[in-house]
Amino acid sequence: SQTIHQWPATLVQPVGSPLSLECTVEGTSNPNLYWYRQAAGRGLQLLFYSVGIGQISSEVPQNLSASRPQDRQFILSSKKLLLSDSGFYLCAWSVRGRPYEQYFGPGTRLTVT
Amino acid sequence: GENVEQHPSTLSVQEGDSAVIKCTYSDSASNYFPWYKQELGKRPQLIIDIRSNVGEKKDQRIAVTLNKTAKHFSLHITETQPEDSAVYFCAAGWGAQKLVFGQGTRLTINP
């Protein structure tokens, strides 16, 4: 069966520090991969998605970036965090061609202080 | 680009009553409309979806309806139970391999 992992589960970082969040999927090949941010009490904001290695589509221009170095690995990064980057970051995957059926990871709660 | 509006933002119903959440979308090219449920502190999970060639779909106590002409779709939960309390998200998608989510509805079931 398929499993999606995210780490770390929680993170507290000072303003201006770098960020690296990792997501890996097991049990499937060639998945679509997604990064979402969920601010407290708010909806799901799509940040990036990828349909293949090295293929990244950015939805929101900001100080975040994403990379997909391997088929089942998706990384979210920042060189300098802002206070507004605080939130709940969710990684998700779907079968290629079935983007309506997304499976979410457990999430990373990021607090920028 | 696609924009999805979801109403209401909060909804409180008595246990056993029905709950209805409505969404509208802007892009007529959208052709699939999933609904996700997120319990407190947990990840969103797909509960049901509907495609553009179908007007209604049911799964036990949950039903979704779609009106493509008016560009709106709804989630109906009948005989609500305490475990239905959660945040519900609608979404719309098309061939672009991504979804656009609504802002969510916090549903509370009162005993």
Side-chain angles (χ1 to χ4, degrees), chain A:
Chain A
S1 62
Q2 300 84 11
T3 309
I4 179 168
H5 303 278
Q6 280 187 252
W7 62 90
T10 60
L11 191 60
V12 180
Q13 293 282 95
V15 169
S17 64
L19 173 74
S20 181
L21 303 181
E22 190 166 344
C23 170
T24 59
V25 181
E26 297 177 354
T28 187
S29 297
N30 304 314
N32 288 350
L33 295 172
Y34 306 87
W35 276 113
Y36 292 90
R37 177 169 61 202
Q38 188 174 32
R42 302 293 298 277
L44 296 164
Q45 179 187 32
L46 179 63
L47 302 175
F48 301 94
Y49 70 99
S50 171
V51 298
I53 296 174
Q55 300 179 60
I56 309 294
S57 296
S58 174
E59 292 296 299
V60 184
Q62 54 195 334
N63 67 320
L64 298 173
S65 62
S67 62
R68 183 171 179 174
Q70 300 180 45
D71 181 46
R72 290 168 288 180
Q73 184 184 29
F74 206 22
I75 297 172
L76 183 69
S77 304
S78 174
K79 292 182 179 178
K80 288 187 176 182
L81 283 169
L82 307 173
L83 283 174
S84 57
D85 291 324
S86 292
F88 191 45
Y89 288 81
L90 289 157
C91 180
W93 74 274
S94 76
V95 172
R96 188 72 53 82
R98 295 171 62 92
Y100 45 86
E101 190 173 343
Q102 295 185 18
Y103 299 92
F104 287 82
T108 295
R109 192 162 300 282
L110 171 67
T111 303
V112 182
T113 60

Side-chain angles (χ1 to χ4, degrees), chain B residues 14-88:
Chain B
Q14 290 298 119
E15 182 178 352
D17 288 350
S18 296
V20 181
I21 302 170
K22 299 180 180 180
C23 291
T24 60
Y25 62 98
S26 60
D27 192 338
S28 57
S30 291
N31 54 18
Y32 47 82
F33 308 91
W35 288 86
Y36 286 77
K37 175 184 180 181
Q38 185 178 28
E39 297 178 7
L40 188 62
K42 297 189 176 181
R43 70 190 82 179
Q45 292 192 305
L46 176 70
I47 55 172
I48 195 168
D49 72 274
I50 192 167
R51 312 294 168 80
S52 61
N53 58 346
V54 176
E56 183 175 0
K57 183 177 179 180
K58 289 187 71 174
D59 183 3
Q60 299 181 4
R61 296 185 297 108
I62 293 174
V64 292
T65 59
L66 171 65
N67 184 326
K68 285 221 76 178
T69 302
K71 289 193 271 188
H72 64 72
F73 56 112
S74 301
L75 176 71
H76 305 252
I77 307 174
T78 59
E79 301 173 12
T80 53
Q81 301 170 3
E83 54 265 36
D84 295 328
S85 293
V87 177
Y88 291 81

